[in-house]
Amino acid sequence: MIKLKEKVGYGLGDMASSMFWKIFGMYLLFFYTKVFGISPAAVGTMLLVTRVYDSVSDPLMGIIADRTHTRWGKYRPYLLWFAIPFAAIGVLTFYTPDLSETGRLVYAYITYTLMMTVYTAVNVPYASLLGVMSANPRERNLLSSYRMFFAFIGSFITFMLLQPLVDFFNGIFDPNPTAAEALAESTSISEYPTGWVCAVAVIGVLCAILFFLCFKWTRERVKPVDETKKNTVKQDLRNLGKNAPWWILMGSGLAALLFNAIRDGVALFYFADYIQISYKMPYFGWTMATIYLLVGQAANMVGVALAAPLSNRYGKKKTYMTAMAIAAVLSVFFFGLQPDQIVWILILQASISICAGYVLPLLWSMYADIVDYQELKTGTRSTGLIFSSSSMSQKMGWALGAALTGWLLAWFGYSQEMAVQSEEAIYGVRLMISWLPAVSCLLAVIGMAFYPLSEKKVHDITEELERRRSNKLKQD
């Protein structure tokens, strides 16, 4: 039985990852276009191109982690080794050197690629921990829920701190008193560059500390039935290619993550250019866009808290499909909302985010089930490789979402140089926060309908693997 301290420790790892991941998902497109001065189309292309590289680096990292042997285990050491590089390169990503437009784009390509490399080196082994901390599917459901609950706490902290920190540091370091006064009265997040790098540095230090705690408080327990049996990389990849549940979960999970990525990526544009409510919360300094994001993260945590009990009662597959179907219907209603209907905007944001909160821990738990399924079929346990595919789908979902957002903003005539956007551009923003996420939800539901690992099937696989491990111990 895993103790509470270890469950919390495991959750702290994704709390750290999520703090940076949400900055990338929610603020990076805004930062590159509004602060760094790169066109939306160029940013969208950059985000997609770097994901091609990531599609190779994630499985490669999984293969490396599976073949790592240290006194701390296979996967935990990477939390220790890459915690500080994770924070440092994150800061460089939001640094704004004085370069030409081409130079800025090249700098963005280099720093963002480095950031995703370090993110992979930490997050793939971290995700793989779920498959070796416990062999019990219900306990893994709980661990996955702890993971996602703390991930959303991390996101909540990011949304709570980032905009006030950006404004705070800009107020200190901006040499132009007039600009500082304008910033204090502004109702949108600052577009001055100085505060961005300082704010991300503060959050980066927090991330490094959380990774160290995750390393210290967790343990690896689950071993393969036959530890002497070793596959080549080619055999591992061939076995994975034959794993039908893995293919189905990859497709459905990618659609679910695309749903989140599109909604998150366009949110700041939605409020800056369509809602345009002149409001800033006293004392905290949160704009209405930040309040919208905070409501979403709080609702995500509610969904995560309900995921384990609901999936244990009704099954992961049914819970997943129901949540995605509801999210699709609710997303459509977003399109008809008017700027003065802020209460309904927040209500829909909360309702959709609860559904998203159900889904994400189920995805990670199902990848752990697929690890067991593949061990039963092949006799080897490729935990890192399989979980790297989940990380890859997460990145691909966010990258495709960001790329689509950037391309569509450009296609609808959105310009980072215009203070007031055209009606066509605003129509595109509204479309991207409503109908496009709804279509992604429906694709996720259709994909999951073909997923073959029922609760009974997973239970039978677990029992058979336990029987084999027991027999192996008796023989030894």
Side-chain angles (χ1 to χ4, degrees):
M1 187 73 177
I2 295 179
K3 295 182 179 179
L4 177 62
K5 181 179 179 180
E6 188 170 0
K7 294 173 184 174
V8 171
Y10 183 65
L12 293 181
D14 213 26
M15 182 176 174
S17 293
S18 185
M19 290 175 80
F20 263 25
W21 191 254
K22 280 299 179 181
I23 294 177
F24 302 146
M26 301 297 296
Y27 294 100
L28 195 63
L29 183 60
F30 181 89
F31 170 81
Y32 278 143
T33 56
K34 296 279 192 176
V35 181
F36 209 13
I38 305 173
S39 72
V43 175
T45 301
M46 183 208 74
L47 294 174
L48 189 61
V49 168
T50 53
R51 293 288 66 76
V52 174
Y53 162 76
D54 254 353
S55 68
V56 176
S57 67
D58 275 16
L60 180 61
M61 188 65 234
I63 290 168
I64 293 171
D66 281 336
R67 287 158 176 79
T68 299
H69 299 282
T70 74
R71 61 192 178 95
W72 300 306
K74 292 176 178 289
Y75 310 109
R76 289 174 58 235
Y78 291 94
L79 299 170
L80 179 66
W81 296 337
F82 285 96
I84 292 176
F86 182 95
I89 297 175
V91 173
L92 287 177
T93 303
F94 283 85
Y95 178 65
T96 54
D98 185 14
L99 300 170
S100 66
E101 185 175 350
T102 301
R104 292 196 299 270
L105 185 59
V106 170
Y107 181 85
Y109 266 92
I110 293 171
T111 54
Y112 188 63
T113 299
L114 285 173
M115 183 66 244
M116 287 297 97
T117 300
V118 175
Y119 187 93
T120 295
V122 174
N123 206 251
V124 168
Y126 167 75
S128 303
L129 266 177
L130 181 62
V132 296
M133 289 177 67
S134 174
N136 187 309
R138 287 179 175 265
E139 200 162 50
R140 289 197 302 238
N141 278 355
L142 192 57
L143 281 169
S144 186
S145 292
Y146 267 86
R147 172 188 179 171
M148 295 313 305
F149 188 80
F150 276 89
F152 287 124
I153 289 177
S155 301
F156 192 89
I157 290 172
T158 293
F159 294 147
M160 186 173 63
L161 291 181
L162 185 68
Q163 180 232 313
L165 281 173
V166 170
D167 293 345
F168 170 76
F169 284 117
N170 274 321
I172 291 176
F173 293 112
D174 198 301
N176 185 346
T178 304
E181 291 173 7
L183 175 63
E185 298 176 2
S186 172
T187 57
S188 63
I189 190 167
S190 170
E191 296 176 19
Y192 299 108
T194 311
W196 282 88
V197 68
C198 295
V200 172
V202 171
I203 292 174
V205 171
L206 292 175
C207 291
I209 293 170
L210 293 172
F211 280 134
F212 286 136
L213 290 175
C214 181
F215 164 80
K216 186 175 181 180
W217 290 353
T218 55
R219 294 293 180 269
E220 298 182 21
R221 297 179 182 83
V222 179
K223 307 290 184 183
V225 173
D226 186 358
E227 292 189 79
T228 63
K229 185 175 180 179
K230 305 293 183 183
N231 273 357
T232 65
V233 172
K234 185 177 180 179
Q235 287 172 322
D236 281 346
L237 292 172
R238 185 186 297 118
N239 289 337
L240 188 62
K242 296 177 181 178
N243 191 324
W246 174 77
W247 282 107
I248 293 169
L249 190 60
M250 273 281 289
S252 182
L254 181 61
L257 292 163
L258 189 61
F259 149 74
N260 279 300
I262 294 172
R263 289 191 75 248
D264 288 355
V266 80
L268 292 181
F269 297 93
Y270 182 76
F271 275 87
D273 300 300
Y274 178 60
I275 301 301
Q276 295 182 327
I277 291 181
S278 298
Y279 176 79
K280 209 165 191 178
M281 181 175 281
Y283 305 110
F284 295 101
W286 295 332
T287 65
M288 187 55 67
T290 299
I291 293 170
Y292 168 89
L293 298 177
L294 288 171
V295 167
Q297 292 309 297
N300 280 150
M301 287 187 280
V302 173
V304 169
L306 294 173
L310 285 174
S311 61
N312 286 337
R313 180 171 182 179
Y314 299 109
K316 298 172 192 175
K317 178 176 177 178
K318 186 180 293 186
T319 304
Y320 180 101
M321 293 176 68
T322 302
M324 283 283 92
I326 294 172
V329 173
L330 294 177
S331 294
V332 171
F333 285 108
F334 244 100
F335 185 78
L337 293 176
Q338 300 301 308
D340 61 350
Q341 294 180 291
I342 191 64
V343 173
W344 278 109
I345 289 171
L346 295 179
I347 289 173
L348 281 177
Q349 165 72 340
S351 302
I352 294 169
S353 298
I354 288 174
C355 294
Y358 288 148
V359 166
L360 293 177
L362 298 181
L363 280 173
W364 293 107
S365 183
M366 284 189 277
Y367 276 111
D369 296 339
I370 287 174
V371 172
D372 289 347
Y373 172 82
Q374 181 144 316
E375 184 181 6
L376 183 69
K377 294 293 183 182
T378 67
T380 56
R381 193 171 183 86
S382 303
T383 308
L385 178 60
I386 289 175
F387 272 93
S388 73
S389 65
S390 63
S391 176
M392 181 178 69
S393 70
Q394 181 185 38
K395 291 178 182 178
M396 284 299 295
W398 283 104
L400 286 171
L404 281 172
T405 303
W407 293 335
L408 287 170
L409 284 173
W411 191 68
F412 281 107
Y414 193 98
S415 172
Q416 73 271 28
E417 298 174 355
M418 293 175 59
V420 179
Q421 300 298 325
S422 66
E423 290 186 10
E424 184 181 10
I426 292 174
Y427 175 83
V429 168
R430 294 171 60 202
L431 196 67
M432 285 184 278
I433 207 168
S434 56
W435 281 99
L436 284 180
V439 170
S440 296
C441 286
L442 291 177
L443 291 174
V445 172
I446 292 169
M448 187 54 63
F450 295 96
Y451 185 69
L453 297 185
S454 64
E455 297 302 299
K456 182 179 185 307
K457 181 75 170 177
V458 170
H459 180 266
D460 291 344
I461 291 171
T462 303
E463 286 196 338
E464 176 60 22
L465 290 176
E466 286 298 317
R467 185 188 66 79
R468 292 183 185 183
R469 290 190 185 99
S470 179
N471 290 341
K472 181 67 177 175
L473 286 172
K474 290 177 183 177
Q475 292 172 9
D476 294 342

